[in-house]
Amino acid sequence: MRIDIITVQPNLLSGPFSHSIIKRAQDKGLFEVHLHDLREYGKGKHKQVDDYAFGMDAGMVMQIEPIEKCIDVLKVERDYDEVIYMTPDGIQFDQPLANRLSLYKNLIILCGHYKGIDERIREHIITMEISIGDFVLSGGELAAAVVVDAIGRLLPGVLSNETSALFDSFQDGLLAPPVYTRPSDYKGWKVPEILLSGNGAAIKDWQEAKALERTKERRPDLLKD
Ligand code: ADE
């Protein structure tokens, strides 16, 4: 899978993708993440990509032309399944959406800045708008990093069997059960006996019960359906 990210701050994103699981996925050739500096498509000496908002006292808006140019250059090379815009008024990002996006081949993610992007880009070029939550970040970059990380770890071969994404919280509509490691007794804080029993079926039952208990306690909204 390939994701092209368009941003005015590529430096904000080079860090998250050069470490850990997402880095390994790229090294293994399972995942490609390409950063594009929108300023390269900006106008004039200052590589301008934004201008004053019509009808508002303050705030800059990202202009159509540099964004369209950048996307057109990418589209010459390949077809894209979605052109995504990160914005707090988009649809809420969740595990089912991460699962769905992980099945695609090529995605573009556009990160907004300032007061946002000219509405006509949203009307004519963007095919999906995603929010990572009901709060406003200073730009779409960190939100894009969240989305790319959640997608990347779902790709076949990225996680080993033991860390398989199938066992994640939310993957079966429940939060994950608690986990423990050695030592089995730390200053009298003991690991539940059942986990040391070697009885696979009983352990699975216990984990399912705990997942349900935790979900009821912390996220009853997930059990509504
Ligand atoms: N850009 C700014 N805030 C955002 C949010 N909550 N989700 C996605 N993109 C954003």
Side-chain angles (χ1 to χ4, degrees):
M1 177 183 200
R2 173 182 172 120
I3 301 184
D4 288 280
I5 304 180
I6 303 171
T7 167
V8 285
Q9 295 210 298
N11 54 325
L12 263 182
L13 284 169
S14 48
F17 306 135
S18 23
H19 299 281
S20 187
I21 287 167
I22 299 305
K23 162 85 161 59
R24 248 181 293 140
Q26 292 182 84
D27 290 346
K28 282 195 208 166
L30 302 167
F31 194 29
E32 284 181 45
V33 182
H34 297 268
L35 301 177
H36 304 278
D37 186 349
L38 187 63
R39 271 191 206 288
E40 287 174 18
Y41 300 87
K43 258 207 194 128
K45 204 169 76 190
H46 299 294
K47 298 285 180 191
Q48 189 184 351
V49 294
D50 58 344
D51 209 333
Y52 292 99
F54 284 125
M56 277 192 200
D57 291 339
M60 303 296 276
V61 173
M62 289 166 73
Q63 293 173 293
I64 303 176
E65 207 179 331
I67 292 173
E68 190 189 34
K69 263 195 206 155
C70 179
I71 291 175
D72 282 350
V73 165
L74 291 171
K75 282 183 173 171
V76 166
E77 297 297 325
R78 64 197 69 76
D79 290 332
Y80 285 89
D81 299 290
E82 299 284 1
V83 181
I84 297 169
Y85 173 48
M86 300 309 304
T87 173
D89 60 1
I91 53 167
Q92 172 77 48
F93 188 60
D94 59 9
Q95 194 62 48
L97 182 51
N99 294 348
R100 195 174 118 209
L101 293 174
S102 75
L103 300 175
Y104 288 140
K105 199 157 176 274
N106 299 308
L107 296 175
I108 289 175
I109 300 183
L110 171 65
C111 304
H113 254 273
Y114 321 113
K115 278 230 162 300
I117 61 175
D118 189 304
E119 186 67 16
R120 291 166 290 181
I121 303 167
R122 302 174 72 162
E123 287 167 5
H124 298 285
I125 302 175
I126 299 297
T127 61
M128 180 184 276
E129 301 185 324
I130 296 179
S131 163
I132 63 158
D134 289 342
F135 42 80
V136 180
L137 300 166
S138 52
E141 284 74 14
L142 298 180
V146 167
V147 169
V148 171
D149 187 277
I151 293 173
R153 60 192 293 286
L154 292 172
L155 301 177
V158 170
L159 294 185
S160 61
N161 273 344
E162 313 87 78
T163 53
S164 164
L166 288 176
F167 301 114
D168 290 342
S169 276
F170 304 112
Q171 209 48 284
D172 53 5
L174 296 178
L175 300 183
V179 292
Y180 301 85
T181 185
R182 273 184 277 270
S184 59
D185 185 341
Y186 180 77
K187 297 181 184 170
W189 303 345
K190 295 201 171 85
V191 169
E193 273 308 316
I194 186 85
L195 296 179
L196 310 173
S197 68
N199 181 342
I203 292 174
K204 198 159 173 282
D205 285 348
W206 180 88
Q207 287 170 329
E208 280 169 13
K210 283 288 173 190
L212 193 58
E213 183 185 310
R214 186 160 276 196
T215 309
K216 269 187 193 155
E217 216 173 85
R218 301 181 182 194
R219 292 293 306 275
D221 57 299
L222 294 176
L223 296 172
K224 265 197 230 127
D225 305 328

